[in-house]
Every structure is written in C-alpha cells, then in structure tokens.
Amino acid sequence: MSVDRTVIVLAAGQGTRMKSSLPKCMMPMLGRSLLGHVLFAAEALGAGRTMVVVGHEAERMSAHVAEIAPYAATVLQAQQRGTGHAVRVAADALGELSGTVVVLYGDTPLLRRETLAAFMGAHEAAGNSATVLTAEVADPAALGRIVRDADGGFESIVEFRDASPGQRAIREINSGIYAFDAGALREMLSKLVSDNDQGEEYLTDVLGMLRRAGRAVGTHTAEDVDDTLGANDRAQLAQLQAIMRDRVNGGWMRSGVSMDDPSSTLVDVTVRLEPDVTLRPGVQLRGDTVVESHAEVGPDSTLVDTSVGAGASVVRAHCVGAVVGAGCAVGPFAYLRPGAVLGEGAKAGTYVEVKNSTVGSGAKVPHLSYVGDASIGADANLGAGTIVANYDGVAKHRTDIGEAVFVGSNSVLVAPVTVADGSYVAAGSAIAEDVPSGSLGVARGRQHNSQGWVAKRRPGTKTDEAAQRSK
Ligand code: UD1
Ligand code: CA
C-alpha cells in the first residue's frame, strides 16, 4: 500500500524577533538547524514530495536545504505575505496535488517522528478535510487559539492579535502542524483574504473556511506539549534547547551512558555513544563524534567530529576532527586539531597541541608541546617543551620521528627533518639535520663554568654568602 503524501515546510520568514543575521530556520540546535530537525521528523512520513518555502536570504536557505535534505525542493516566496500565501506559493510550484498535504513550520525543532505518526493516524482515521495538531498549554502567550463551537467541535483558529479578551483566555493553541486533503486545501487557498491585524493571508483561516463549508475539520492533541513549541526569540531558543538536551541525555543514560551533570552536558543528536561511557560535567559533543565504551570524557571538554576509542580518557580538552585511540590519555588542557590521530595507548598531555599528525601506539607527548605535520613512531617519547617547527614562514613541512625515539626536553625539530627509529635527541637541541638510527643528536652550545665569578662580580649578595659557606 503506497501513501500519497506531500510535505510543505514554511521557512521564508526572517525571524525578526531573533534579531539575527542568520535566517531563523538555519539557527543551530544540538547538531541540526531548526529546519533540519523539522525535516528529519518529516522524513519518516515517506512523502513523495517535500517542498520548503524560502524567502528571507533565499539563496543561503536553498543551499542549506540542498545540503541537509537533497531530496527536498525549494520555492521562493519573494514577499512574506503570510503563512497562507506561503502555502499557495508552494502549491502552485508543486502543480498537480493529490492525497494528503502536510504543512509544517520550520521553527518547531522539537517535533518528533512518533508525534507526527500519531497525528497522521488520527487525520486519516477520521477522514478529515483538515486536521490541526493542538496542545493545552499553561501560558499560551501570543500563539493562535483554537476556538470551539457549543458542541466542542473545531470552529476556527484566531491569532492572538485578532483575538477578543474571551478568546485570549483559551489555552488550547495551534501548533502550526496541519494535514489537509489536497483538493480541499487548493480550493480554500484561492479564497484567502488578508483582513486581519497583520494584513497577511493566514493559513489558519483555511481551516475555519473548510469548517464553515461543512467539511470535516478535526484536532489532534499532542501527547507531549513540547513537540509543538516554536522558537521565536533567543530566550525561547534556549528553552527549547534545554528540552532537547534533556531528551537526548535521557535517551543516552537509559542506554547505559553515565553523566555526572546532564544539565551541563550538550550532546548533538548526531553523536554516537557506547554503553559504559562516562561524561563528566561541562562536556560538549558535537557533529560526528563517537565515543566507545569505558571511555571517560571531561570535565570541561569539547569534542567536534572526533572519535574516542574504548577506555580512553579525555580531560579538559578541545578536540576537532581528531581520532583518539583506545586507552589513550588526553589532557588536562590539550588541543587536538584536524588530522590528529593518536594510536592505541598514546598520550597527549598537559598543554599539548597536535595538528595533522599521527602519534604511534604507546607514544607519549606529555607536557608543553606543539606537534604539527609530523608522524611519531610507536613508543616514542617527546620530552617536556618539544616543539615541531613545521612552518618556515612560507610553507609547511613534515617531520618524521621514528619508533621508540627519545627526544630530550626543550628541543626544536625543524622540518623537514627525520629522527630515525631508535635514536635520541639531547635536551635543548635545535635539530635541523636528520638524526640517523641508533645515534644521539646533540645540537646546542657547550657549557662553560666561570670559576669564582660570583665572588668577583656579585660580592656580598645572598648568593655569594651561600657560595662562601659551601667552601
Ligand atoms: C503561527 C500561527 C499561529 C501558531 C504559531 C505556532 C499563522 C497565521 N499563525 O504564528 O496560529 O500558533 O505559528 O508556532 O499561521 N512563514 C513563511 N512565509 C510567510 C510567513 C511565515 O514562510 O509569509 C513561515 C515562517 O518562516 C515560520 C512559519 O511560517 O517558519 C510561521 O511563521 P511565524 O511568523 O513564526 O508565525 P507565528 O506568529 O509564530
Ligand atoms: Ca513561530
């Protein structure tokens, strides 16, 4: 049995109340844009066609849609003349319309697949011309109100600004999620007028018009009010993100992830975690991040597109596009940049920055180092303050540090250079020539001690007194 469904998502508005240079529907929330969340939920409807109405910053929005939902088409609503006008623009672009048309607004990111499925079930079971998803809320604020007739049936939707004091007292609100019989929608769209406070064509009027024409118009109450919430300003955006955060974290904790403080833990919906992962307070996991079992992340760490192997520990670190192998130790205070790949059991310790480099299994970079465009062999050890000088001011060059190499503290390895397998570098060296296998590279001035210098040049100082005493 195939279903004939079309999805229209309205996303042409600027989102004036956000006061943002980014179009509202592109604003991010835990791994997707607001629109991205709506499209993700709508995908499960299996619609044959999905149309996103764009207007404000149309080019940017269209590019965004092409990136996140290549199956969807976009249509331009050049002037934002209201939600009804927006749907008419979409319907005209779609041409022939049949079956059910689902209309969603691009600013309701908490809408879930199961809520949409229950809503569609109710619409289809009732055989309505139109069904609207509603919710009973404590504070209906400026949302559209559901007006009912004497028998409790649907009568109309009244916008807050057009509502009488009596209607404003109604607490059942319009979520902005609708299902229409395609023919009925098309018929009423052509009759829409804009005789309201905003002078716009309201999609909400279509439902009242259908009702007055004697068609079946129904409501379906959302089980979870949160699913219907829209984000109109940044305070609402933060409230909605907090709800989404609780949902995401709740889901992970139920599948075996420990969180010391879920309220300070932000996990994008795109992240994957294994059971027995522990997340300490102040952790942010972004994008395509994956954390395997028994790994511990945090406190205070941000991981973007980073994978962390089983049993690894990442403490107070910022990692972007990095691969942390099983059993690794990262931080405290480490910065792993794109292309940093740590083999099993490796260490990138305190105040260590690694970029576009592999650190072999068991190799250690424990303190105060920069490693860029290098490969470090297994079991090598870079002493405190080792710097890989990869940039000569014009181009970047590679450094090859072999297996079990020991680099003494405060050394600079000037790329391009090779420190071969099984060699040593003396502390304080500036290595600009290759060090062959099995040898010690020393590249520093020799020490000279000037006998009696303190008595001659610093007589009577505390240092001199100490020297006298030790004679
Ligand atoms: C709308 C509803 C209101 C409902 C609320 C739920 C109408 C008239 N009002 O109000 O009943 O309670 O949503 O969140 O529908 N858009 C366009 N083109 C336009 C106008 C809007 O694409 O010409 C898009 C916006 O980008 C947005 C969505 O439609 O994604 C809703 O518009 P918005 O201005 O946020 O409507 P509300 O005032 O929230
Ligand atoms: Ca809105």
Side-chain angles (χ1 to χ4, degrees), residues 10-13 17 24-25 77 80-83 86 105-107 143-144 159 174-175 178 202 204 232:
L10 306 192
R17 291 163 277 182
K24 171 165 81 171
C25 294
Q77 183 197 22
Q80 283 77 66
R81 287 161 48 194
T83 48
Y105 294 166
D107 66 349
L143 293 167
E159 287 308 293
N174 167 28
S175 67
Y178 321 84
Y202 287 166
T204 46
N232 294 313

Side-chain angles (χ1 to χ4, degrees), residues 83-94:
T83 48
H85 178 254
V87 173
R88 188 143 52 80
V89 168
D92 289 348
L94 284 159

Side-chain angles (χ1 to χ4, degrees), residues 69-360:
Y71 57 85
T74 55
V75 62
L76 176 70
Q77 183 197 22
Q79 279 181 312
Q80 283 77 66
R81 287 161 48 194
T83 48
H85 178 254
V87 173
R88 188 143 52 80
V89 168
D92 289 348
L94 284 159
E96 195 73 19
L97 267 186
S98 57
T100 304
V101 178
V102 180
V103 177
L104 307 168
Y105 294 166
D107 66 349
T108 54
L110 295 177
L111 180 63
R112 284 174 301 187
R113 293 181 165 193
E114 52 265 41
T115 303
L116 261 184
F119 171 66
M120 288 304 286
H123 172 75
E124 280 160 0
N128 287 336
S129 287
T131 307
V132 55
L133 184 72
T134 71
E136 283 282 347
V137 297
D139 174 19
L143 293 167
R145 307 298 204 261
I146 305 294
V147 180
R148 292 187 175 274
D149 60 25
D151 306 323
F154 175 90
E155 191 173 291
S156 64
I157 300 172
V158 182
E159 287 308 293
F160 176 77
R161 28 206 313 171
D162 304 308
S164 66
Q167 290 168 331
R168 287 184 178 187
I170 296 171
R171 294 195 320 166
E172 187 183 12
I173 58 92
N174 167 28
S175 67
I177 292 153
Y178 321 84
F180 295 98
D181 166 70
L185 173 66
R186 177 83 86 186
E187 180 190 335
M188 292 307 173
L189 282 176
S190 64
K191 298 179 181 164
L192 272 181
V193 292
S194 45
D195 60 346
N196 50 57
D197 187 58
Q198 295 196 93
E200 290 186 349
E201 291 176 38
Y202 287 166
L203 179 62
T204 46
D205 287 347
V206 166
L207 291 95
M209 288 156 71
L210 286 170
R211 175 75 186 84
R212 285 196 295 282
R215 313 290 175 77
V217 179
T219 61
H220 175 77
T221 310
E223 224 168 89
D224 186 343
V225 173
D226 294 345
D227 278 57
T228 68
L229 300 178
N232 294 313
D233 60 33
R234 295 197 197 225
Q236 287 171 349
L237 200 63
Q239 285 162 4
L240 266 50
Q241 175 166 293
I243 296 169
M244 188 178 289
R245 178 202 66 206
D246 289 347
R247 283 181 175 178
V248 170
N249 290 352
W252 284 124
M253 288 188 282
R254 281 190 292 279
S255 33
V257 172
S258 283
M259 296 187 190
D260 285 343
D261 181 16
S263 70
S264 73
T265 305
L266 299 178
V267 180
D268 280 357
V269 294
T270 43
V271 165
R272 281 171 297 141
L273 305 174
E274 288 187 358
D276 281 321
V277 159
T278 299
L279 303 181
R280 300 296 180 201
V283 166
Q284 302 184 47
L285 305 180
R286 302 293 193 197
D288 290 328
T289 293
V290 181
V291 185
E292 292 178 5
S293 62
H294 297 283
E296 219 179 289
V297 181
D300 302 327
S301 295
T302 299
L303 274 53
V304 184
D305 301 334
T306 290
S307 68
V308 177
S313 141
V314 179
V315 181
R316 294 186 207 282
H318 190 88
C319 307
V320 182
V323 176
V324 175
C328 283
V330 176
F333 307 107
Y335 182 22
L336 303 186
R337 293 167 52 197
V341 178
L342 273 54
E344 202 177 318
K347 175 172 180 135
T350 310
Y351 301 113
V352 169
E353 176 177 339
V354 182
K355 182 214 82 170
N356 189 32
S357 297
T358 55
V359 180

